[in-house]
Amino acid sequence: MNSLAAHERIGKGIIFMILAVLCFSLMDVAMKHLAGHLSSMQVAFFRGAMSLPFIVLWLVATKSMARVRPRRIGLHLIRAGVSILFLILTVITLRELPLANAYAIFFVAPLLITLLSVVLLKEKVGVHRYGAVLVGFVGVLIMLNPNAMGFLSYGVIAGLLATLGYALVMILVRLMHRTETSESLMLFFVLSLSIGCGLLALFDWRPMTLNDIPWLLGLGLSGAIAQYLLTEAYRMAPPAVLSSFEYSAMIWALVLGYMLWGDWPGPWVLVGAAVVIASGIYISHREAVRNKHQGELEQSKLQH
């Protein structure tokens, strides 16, 4: 592949990533709306159940069903349990906080993933990434100060716990990628949400109306399209290029939150979020540098 074609491919990958983030934001909008009158467990159930048919159809259409067989059932079950908890907490966060405020908290995830990878995966983290994590947590203190969101509000606590849960799930995914296929990880994630959250929702099932149907369809469709766009983005461009564009979610959150609910975060939230985002981008950059260095070392060993 020549240089021009490679650049065009990467450019398409970036566009797909930005559109994927938009679709995930639309999915969160649907969850936030539904959480206004349905239980958190009910909304979490629909997050899985409405996406499941689209994923199964995609697996059948691409003849990938043979690749979904799990190899490490125990890890799938642990991931399922943590995923159910973090998604319910995510729905609570979306219900309690403006969309942009919720996203500002969720952006803490890369910082937690970096620290947890050291503890749980025994990965080595250099001084640059430790410094970025420290700066990132300063950003957290800025946006959670009492004049902004407040440390002890219900939505903030739920958001922080949801972010910790998400970080644990991502650590598990890193570990499971050593033995499990992407198809297996995708299907069993949605399946576990559908079954687990569905059973929990039975204890607090609230009546629904015909007006909920478009939102439910939008929830499933946006989630499925987002997953497809994300897969295509990573097929066209390397993760090191794409990771920074995940933060475009804040733009969508600001626009959608203002258009739909008239929400606009205060200056402390915006400043703190900017610090967290900058630290997350720098961590991604250092990760890319480390991976490139390791690749060059392995290539050098092969040549000698």
Side-chain angles (χ1 to χ4, degrees), residues 151-171:
F151 281 105
L152 300 178
S153 72
Y154 183 41
V156 167
I157 293 172
L160 291 172
L161 291 175
T163 305
L164 175 60
Y166 174 80
L168 287 170
V169 168
M170 290 299 101
I171 292 294

Side-chain angles (χ1 to χ4, degrees), residues 237-277:
V241 173
L242 297 175
S243 58
S244 298
F245 290 93
E246 293 182 21
Y247 293 105
S248 62
M250 180 55 82
I251 298 173
W252 302 126
L254 290 170
V255 172
L256 293 170
Y258 185 75
M259 287 176 57
L260 297 174
W261 296 286
D263 293 331
W264 191 261
W268 286 113
V269 175
L270 292 174
V271 171
V275 174
V276 172
I277 290 170

Side-chain angles (χ1 to χ4, degrees), residues 25-69:
S25 299
L26 293 173
M27 182 186 71
D28 288 339
V29 164
M31 288 200 293
K32 182 175 177 65
H33 171 80
L34 292 168
H37 58 283
L38 302 179
S39 73
S40 301
M41 294 173 287
Q42 207 172 343
V43 176
F45 159 70
F46 284 120
R47 161 66 181 93
M50 295 305 295
S51 296
L52 185 58
F54 294 103
I55 290 176
V56 171
L57 284 173
W58 176 73
L59 290 171
V60 171
T62 57
K63 299 179 180 178
S64 303
M65 288 300 293
R67 291 175 51 82
V68 302
R69 182 179 178 182

Side-chain angles (χ1 to χ4, degrees), residues 33-298:
H33 171 80
L34 292 168
H37 58 283
L38 302 179
S39 73
S40 301
M41 294 173 287
Q42 207 172 343
V43 176
F45 159 70
F46 284 120
R47 161 66 181 93
M50 295 305 295
S51 296
L52 185 58
F54 294 103
I55 290 176
V56 171
L57 284 173
W58 176 73
L59 290 171
V60 171
T62 57
K63 299 179 180 178
S64 303
M65 288 300 293
R67 291 175 51 82
V68 302
R69 182 179 178 182
R71 296 179 179 272
R72 304 180 70 176
I73 298 293
L75 286 179
H76 277 283
L77 291 175
I78 294 172
R79 180 191 178 217
V82 179
S83 297
I84 290 167
L85 287 174
F86 104 72
L87 185 60
I88 292 172
L89 288 165
T90 297
V91 175
I92 293 172
T93 307
L94 292 171
R95 183 188 67 206
E96 297 292 325
L97 298 179
L99 195 61
N101 289 27
Y103 275 25
I105 295 175
F106 296 156
F107 287 154
V108 178
L111 313 181
L112 295 177
I113 291 170
T114 300
L115 294 179
L116 290 173
S117 67
V118 176
V119 177
L120 300 178
L121 299 181
K122 308 302 180 185
E123 292 184 0
K124 293 182 179 180
V125 174
V127 65
H128 292 90
R129 281 194 287 170
Y130 274 128
V133 168
L134 181 61
V135 171
F137 281 117
V138 171
V140 173
L141 294 176
I142 292 172
M143 68 184 182
L144 296 186
N145 78 79
N147 294 321
M149 284 189 269
F151 281 105
L152 300 178
S153 72
Y154 183 41
V156 167
I157 293 172
L160 291 172
L161 291 175
T163 305
L164 175 60
Y166 174 80
L168 287 170
V169 168
M170 290 299 101
I171 292 294
L172 282 169
V173 168
R174 281 192 188 182
L175 181 61
M176 294 169 73
H177 258 303
R178 299 171 184 175
T179 57
E180 309 298 307
T181 64
S182 297
E183 290 84 356
S184 172
L185 292 169
M186 186 189 308
L187 178 63
F188 284 101
F189 170 71
V190 177
L191 193 61
S192 66
L193 293 181
S194 303
I195 297 173
C197 295
L199 292 173
L200 291 172
L202 293 176
F203 296 97
D204 190 17
W205 191 270
R206 300 178 188 178
M208 302 175 63
T209 68
L210 290 176
N211 292 332
D212 291 326
I213 293 177
W215 290 96
L216 291 173
L217 292 174
L219 176 64
L221 190 60
S222 59
I225 293 174
Q227 196 63 56
Y228 168 76
L229 290 170
L230 193 67
T231 303
E232 287 296 296
Y234 278 105
R235 186 173 65 84
M236 294 179 180
V241 173
L242 297 175
S243 58
S244 298
F245 290 93
E246 293 182 21
Y247 293 105
S248 62
M250 180 55 82
I251 298 173
W252 302 126
L254 290 170
V255 172
L256 293 170
Y258 185 75
M259 287 176 57
L260 297 174
W261 296 286
D263 293 331
W264 191 261
W268 286 113
V269 175
L270 292 174
V271 171
V275 174
V276 172
I277 290 170
S279 65
I281 291 173
Y282 187 73
I283 287 172
S284 299
H285 167 70
R286 293 303 305 179
E287 180 76 14
V289 170
R290 185 177 71 90
N291 290 339
K292 181 180 179 181
H293 182 61
Q294 286 182 341
E296 290 173 349
L297 286 176
E298 290 175 3

